[in-house]
Amino acid sequence: MSFVPAPRTERGAEKNAPGALRLRTTSPAPGVVVLETAGILDMNSATHFAEALRTHLSAATGTAVLDLSGLSFLSTHGAVVLLEAAHRALMHRAHLVLISQNRIVDRLLEMLDVADRFTYATTVDEAIGLVGSETPVLR
């Protein structure tokens, strides 16, 4: 007897699957948006993640903090979305700060040689404190 996999479900049904990308948005201070991520950021979830970032990286956002510490997987598709977000932040004169402390995220960004294009913090309070200047500072 052979194993027959279950039929694939529609894309929207995967949002609640274990490991699926989960996003939570908060605003701890005026002009500051924190987007917490958990789960898997791959080619299937990159579009949803990019749309969420585009929504929150607007002229009204002074600082966007991306908490990537809850990711269990990051693909190159996700890394491209992060680079696009960094560019969009520069266009809107907003600050983009990553909270990573996640070996999976840090290692991929280093392997792609793009880690130095982002500003990093360990907490949201530290991220807000880093962006006291008018123009975004990348390290």
Side-chain angles (χ1 to χ4, degrees), residues 15-53:
K15 289 180 182 176
N16 296 323
L21 182 66
R22 294 174 304 283
L23 303 174
R24 187 180 94 148
T25 306
T26 58
S27 183
V32 177
V33 173
V34 178
L35 187 62
E36 295 177 49
T37 61
I40 297 172
L41 179 50
D42 61 4
M43 67 184 265
N44 294 323
S45 57
T47 302
H48 174 64
F49 183 60
E51 289 169 1
L53 287 175

Side-chain angles (χ1 to χ4, degrees), residues 4 14 16 20-22 24 33 36 39 44 47 53 66 89 92 98 106 110 113-114 116 136 139:
V4 178
E14 296 172 358
N16 296 323
L21 182 66
R22 294 174 304 283
R24 187 180 94 148
V33 173
E36 295 177 49
N44 294 323
T47 302
L53 287 175
L66 301 181
H92 290 291
L98 303 185
D106 297 340
E110 288 172 13
D113 198 25
V114 296
D116 61 344
R139 69 167 195 155

